[in-house]
Amino acid sequence: MTFKALVVDKDEDGTRASVKDLTLADLPEAEVTVAVEYSTVNYKDGLCIGPGGGLVRKYPHVPGIDFSGTVETSDDPRYAPGDKVVLTGWRVGEAHWGGYSQKARVKADWLVPLPQGLTTRQAMAVGTAGFTAMLAVQALEDHGIKSGPVLVTGAAGGVGSVAVALLSAMGKQVAAVTGRPDQADYLTSLGATQIVAREELAETVKRPLEAETWGGCVDAVGGAMLARLLGQMEYGASVAAVGLAGGANLPATVIPFLLRGVNLLGIDSVMQPYDNRVRAWARLAEVLPMDKLEAMVVPATLGDLPGLGADILKGQVRGRVVVDVAAG
């Protein structure tokens, strides 16, 4: 029996991705075999579909850093045939074959049960990006969101879109930062109450402290923008750092931390412990408005992935791509 998968091959001319037929014998060894129903497209997926970005070490390779589906076979008592499951992180789709395949075989420790109230499609509309957004919002809550608006940078991207919708659903005023003015209506529809042009925050300033403006921040940009907004946070407010689209360097001073008690919270979704994963997924099912989630969705199939992988590396993908893997 064969099934479809997006396979990336590499030779002296570079990498190329195409949909191929595989068999169960091709899959890596692990405890649980899943019939994959849906996956999604993240920045890491774009790298793994295309140039590799140092993430993929062995070819041929099946990318896809997250997926949802139904357990077919399991050697682990925690999962039985018919169970609905979700996988994000654990370097699946990078070091281990991932979700761009109608069958996947993975370690039981990497799975979580599909949260009650979500379908497998909705779970991948959330995906790694939405899961990361929820981890960031929970970290802000745990440290106390202050009175001002919550800033979301890179707001039209996958993490940013879900963060805007979550914070709005929680009753927060949300200021959405974007470099694409044409996305203002989209961000407003997700619940943003203020649109901030990227240019307003893109440059560093000599003053380490500016007016206390933001009650919290989910930052997907990093770099000079993160350095700038640290000096604009309210006393005791926190920034949850989830990305580095603007660069890995942080040209900042320690003044905001020392004089305003600002917290910089690092958010990792890849190696997150099981209990935190279950907590975040349960909260997503409870809080995230499903109509706003659906408004973010761009549908796709396995055959669309090479083009989408290139697009996301150029910053040309808005919202959440949901790949119907089962459809081929």
Side-chain angles (χ1 to χ4, degrees), residues 187-211:
L187 293 168
T188 301
S189 73
L190 295 181
T193 53
Q194 179 182 351
I195 305 297
V196 180
R198 182 169 59 198
E199 296 75 28
E200 293 184 25
L201 292 172
E203 295 183 5
T204 55
V205 295
K206 292 184 178 180
R207 301 185 306 280
L209 294 176
E210 299 180 71

Side-chain angles (χ1 to χ4, degrees), residues 35-283:
V36 177
E37 296 169 19
Y38 296 97
S39 186
T40 183
V41 180
N42 305 279
Y43 191 85
K44 278 186 179 180
D45 294 314
L47 291 172
C48 295
I49 292 168
L55 301 174
V56 181
R57 303 297 175 86
K58 185 178 178 181
Y59 292 90
H61 180 68
V62 175
I65 69 170
D66 45 15
F67 65 77
S68 61
T70 304
V71 172
E72 286 197 334
T73 64
S74 175
D75 295 330
D76 188 285
R78 288 172 289 180
Y79 297 101
D83 288 350
K84 298 290 186 179
V85 291
V86 178
L87 184 145
T88 62
W90 300 111
R91 299 206 65 208
V92 169
E94 305 170 40
H96 189 92
W97 279 18
Y100 295 161
S101 173
Q102 291 175 332
K103 309 284 185 188
R105 192 177 288 140
V106 296
K107 292 184 178 181
D109 287 344
W110 297 344
L111 297 167
V112 296
L114 179 73
Q116 189 172 3
L118 286 185
T119 65
T120 51
R121 182 179 183 275
Q122 289 169 333
M124 283 299 100
V126 173
T128 286
F131 174 64
T132 303
M134 188 73 255
L135 292 173
V137 170
Q138 286 186 160
L140 293 181
E141 286 184 310
D142 291 345
H143 285 78
I145 297 175
K146 306 307 175 183
S147 60
V150 181
L151 191 71
V152 177
T153 70
V159 177
S161 292
V162 179
V164 170
L166 282 170
L167 289 161
S168 173
M170 292 161 50
K172 305 299 181 184
Q173 298 293 303
V174 184
V177 182
T178 182
R180 296 180 277 173
D182 60 315
Q183 300 302 313
D185 289 345
Y186 166 71
L187 293 168
T188 301
S189 73
L190 295 181
T193 53
Q194 179 182 351
I195 305 297
V196 180
R198 182 169 59 198
E199 296 75 28
E200 293 184 25
L201 292 172
E203 295 183 5
T204 55
V205 295
K206 292 184 178 180
R207 301 185 306 280
L209 294 176
E210 299 180 71
E212 297 182 43
T213 305
W214 315 115
C217 175
V218 176
D219 175 55
V221 175
M225 185 178 294
L226 174 55
R228 176 79 182 275
L229 62 87
L230 285 171
Q232 298 179 355
M233 305 305 296
E234 288 186 44
Y235 188 92
S238 301
V239 178
V242 301
L244 41 66
N249 292 328
L250 184 60
T253 78
V254 298
I255 299 300
F257 308 119
L258 301 181
L259 298 188
R260 285 194 184 154
V262 171
N263 304 298
L264 181 57
L265 312 174
I267 306 299
D268 167 63
S269 65
V270 177
M271 308 303 290
Q272 196 69 211
Y274 178 83
D275 288 346
N276 286 350
R277 289 176 182 273
V278 172
R279 176 191 175 207
W281 278 108
R283 191 80 189 285

Side-chain angles (χ1 to χ4, degrees), residues 9-56:
D9 293 292
K10 186 176 184 179
D11 56 25
E12 61 273 10
D13 296 323
T15 59
R16 61 190 180 280
S18 60
V19 177
K20 294 184 177 182
D21 288 331
L22 298 179
T23 69
L24 288 172
D26 295 315
L27 296 177
E29 291 298 318
E31 299 96 10
V32 185
T33 302
V34 179
V36 177
E37 296 169 19
Y38 296 97
S39 186
T40 183
V41 180
N42 305 279
Y43 191 85
K44 278 186 179 180
D45 294 314
L47 291 172
C48 295
I49 292 168
L55 301 174
V56 181

